[in-house]
Amino acid sequence: DGDDAPQIGEVGAGIQIPPNSGRILVRWGLKEKIEKVACRPLNARVWRYDNVAPLANWPFPSEQAMGVPYWHIHRADHHKILLDEAVAPTLSYPARNPGPPHCEAASIRTEDGRSYSGDVLVGADGVRSDVKVAVTQDKENAKPSGDQAYRFLIPVEEVKKYPELAFTLDRAMNHHVGPNAHIVHYPISDYKYVNVVTCSLGEGRTDESWNQQGGRDELLKQFEGWSPEIIKLMSMSDKYLKWQLIKRGELRTWVRGKTTLLGDACHAMVPYLAQGAAQALWGLPINAALQAYEKVRKRRTTAIVNGADGARATFHMHDGQLKKDRDDAFKRQWGKSSSVFSPHWTYDAEYEMIKYLNQLGPRGRAAAPESASTSAPATQARL
């Protein structure tokens, strides 16, 4: 793929860090670094596609209620924070085009002849994962979802020139929903930019590229009939990144020998629930630890994949009675807590892993870190 790169660079635009993944980052001591570059939304709003009168306005649960904030952040800032914390200088960048891995030995040889081995090999190599093929012995790739997305940034100072776009500068996550499409926008980079993501009918391709250049005219053609304010907002960028949205059915397994899978390699999904994943492994024997990881995470991610498909159907309704019923349901939720999404936000991956390890008996309890509480957080206990 011409978009492969030997180092991590600035790809994409904004990304959301909901509490279920944010609480892991806070436990890793990264809150202060995230706060310097991220934004905290106060509420989530839903709008019809043909006007700018919101259908719903949900306040985000407080940090006190969730235990951690909800953040919006530039993807490159997020990558850099994680990379700086996680990787030694000699292994700072992913290998270019790694060859087939040796799953039992947790080893891999790269295109340039270098070999790497370790206690565990984690295949986080995307929707066309070579490691996934080695783990599952199945060469079937992820499938096109039928949708495509555009990402672009607009400087806040430019947006301020247009009073009719003042609603885009609020500390809010905004969804504009319409036939076969929706748009999400929110401030990022300490309120220096408005991040905009559009999702609409795609081209049926399976390119895993964040760097494919899109055009303003082709984007606007997808949104004919939308409100003048939204059309204006979408016209203001000078660079549009375009990619096809890919999804993958549930794999038979994520584990083979000392090798496992992570991210799109095992659960590629459409991004309609703004849900990432955070996993933790501790001091069990390697095979048992990987099996525990799969046991706890696989069911959870399958539910998120299916939930994202359901969100697509809700967002992309055509005019008619079903859409009217949806809009009425949104209005009845006005001012209430963001209950549509909060079941995902209260999930605690570390707690769920500890609970599973405790069920394994003495060996599992010995593997759980002393610093992690084995009791459910307050928000979890109320579910």
Side-chain angles (χ1 to χ4, degrees):
D1 186 348
D3 292 299
D4 287 345
Q7 63 184 36
I8 292 177
E10 295 193 14
V11 295
I15 191 171
Q16 300 181 54
I17 306 179
N20 54 302
S21 55
R23 62 176 48 93
I24 302 296
L25 299 174
V26 170
R27 287 173 188 156
W28 290 349
L30 300 180
K31 181 179 179 180
E32 183 177 349
K33 291 185 177 181
I34 293 172
E35 290 276 85
K36 289 180 179 179
V37 293
C39 301
R40 292 194 188 192
L42 297 179
N43 55 331
R45 302 185 295 203
V46 179
W47 319 68
R48 276 181 58 89
Y49 71 99
D50 52 0
N51 62 51
V52 286
L55 296 169
N57 185 5
W58 300 308
F60 276 93
S62 67
E63 179 179 358
Q64 182 179 8
M66 289 285 105
V68 292
Y70 194 115
W71 285 300
H72 291 153
I73 191 171
H74 195 294
R75 186 177 296 266
D77 291 333
H78 194 21
H79 284 179
K80 185 177 188 306
I81 289 170
L82 294 176
L83 188 65
D84 288 348
E85 291 294 317
V87 187
T90 55
L91 298 177
S92 297
Y93 303 108
R96 183 180 179 88
N97 298 329
H102 191 300
C103 294
E104 303 299 333
S107 64
I108 197 164
R109 181 181 295 274
T110 61
E111 186 182 55
D112 60 6
R114 291 177 294 166
S115 294
Y116 297 96
S117 63
D119 295 326
V120 175
L121 174 62
V122 179
D125 49 337
V127 296
R128 293 194 301 275
S129 169
D130 290 328
V131 182
K132 173 261 177 186
V133 174
V135 166
T136 65
Q137 304 293 294
D138 181 0
K139 295 184 178 180
E140 183 179 14
N141 290 320
K143 305 293 186 183
S145 69
D147 288 354
Q148 66 183 358
Y150 289 78
R151 287 184 184 268
F152 49 97
L153 300 176
I154 305 169
V156 163
E157 293 305 314
E158 287 298 311
V159 178
K160 286 180 178 179
K161 297 177 182 178
Y162 301 92
E164 67 272 25
L165 299 182
F167 67 94
T168 69
L169 303 178
D170 295 338
R171 293 176 60 184
M173 175 177 66
N174 298 279
H175 287 80
H176 300 257
V177 296
N180 298 325
H182 76 279
I183 297 168
V184 179
H185 60 85
Y186 47 81
I188 63 168
S189 299
D190 195 25
Y191 303 96
K192 294 181 176 68
Y193 295 95
V194 174
N195 175 69
V196 185
V197 183
T198 75
C199 298
S200 56
L201 293 178
E203 303 169 357
R205 297 161 52 191
T206 57
D207 307 38
E208 188 197 15
S209 171
W210 290 86
N211 295 318
Q212 181 183 354
Q213 296 299 311
R216 179 184 293 113
D217 291 343
E218 66 184 46
L219 169 62
L220 295 181
K221 186 176 180 180
Q222 296 273 336
F223 291 90
E224 291 178 354
W226 286 56
S227 72
E229 293 84 357
I230 289 300
I231 296 299
K232 177 63 179 176
L233 182 70
M234 291 194 296
S235 301
M236 292 179 65
S237 181
D238 56 6
K239 182 178 182 181
Y240 299 84
L241 298 179
K242 169 184 173 182
W243 84 105
Q244 308 303 312
L245 298 179
I246 310 301
K247 58 187 291 187
R248 186 189 297 286
E250 183 177 0
L251 298 180
R252 175 181 55 83
T253 183
W254 292 4
V255 176
R256 184 182 180 88
K258 297 180 180 180
T259 300
T260 192
L261 303 171
L262 179 69
D264 284 353
C266 54
H267 53 72
M269 67 185 78
V270 291
Y272 297 162
L273 289 181
Q275 277 296 307
Q279 288 75 225
L281 292 177
W282 301 301
L284 283 172
I286 288 171
N287 288 344
L290 295 181
Q291 293 296 331
Y293 160 70
E294 178 180 326
K295 181 74 174 180
V296 173
R297 296 300 300 157
K298 190 165 178 282
R299 181 184 299 178
R300 161 76 177 170
T301 56
T302 297
I304 293 295
V305 170
N306 294 336
D309 289 342
R312 179 191 186 277
T314 299
F315 291 162
H316 292 191
M317 286 181 177
H318 288 253
D319 289 332
Q321 187 60 44
L322 285 177
K323 177 182 270 190
K324 182 179 182 301
D325 293 344
R326 180 207 64 188
D327 292 353
D328 289 342
F330 279 143
K331 292 173 183 177
R332 287 194 296 272
Q333 294 293 321
W334 187 280
K336 298 180 181 179
S337 179
S338 307
S339 57
V340 173
F341 298 102
S342 59
H344 302 299
W345 298 342
T346 56
Y347 183 84
D348 189 327
E350 187 174 26
Y351 164 72
E352 293 297 330
M353 180 64 78
I354 292 172
K355 183 171 72 172
Y356 178 75
L357 292 175
N358 284 339
Q359 293 169 358
L360 296 181
R363 185 177 65 169
R365 284 193 291 272
E370 294 181 1
S371 60
S373 170
T374 56
S375 61
T379 52
Q380 188 77 31
R382 290 198 296 268
L383 293 181

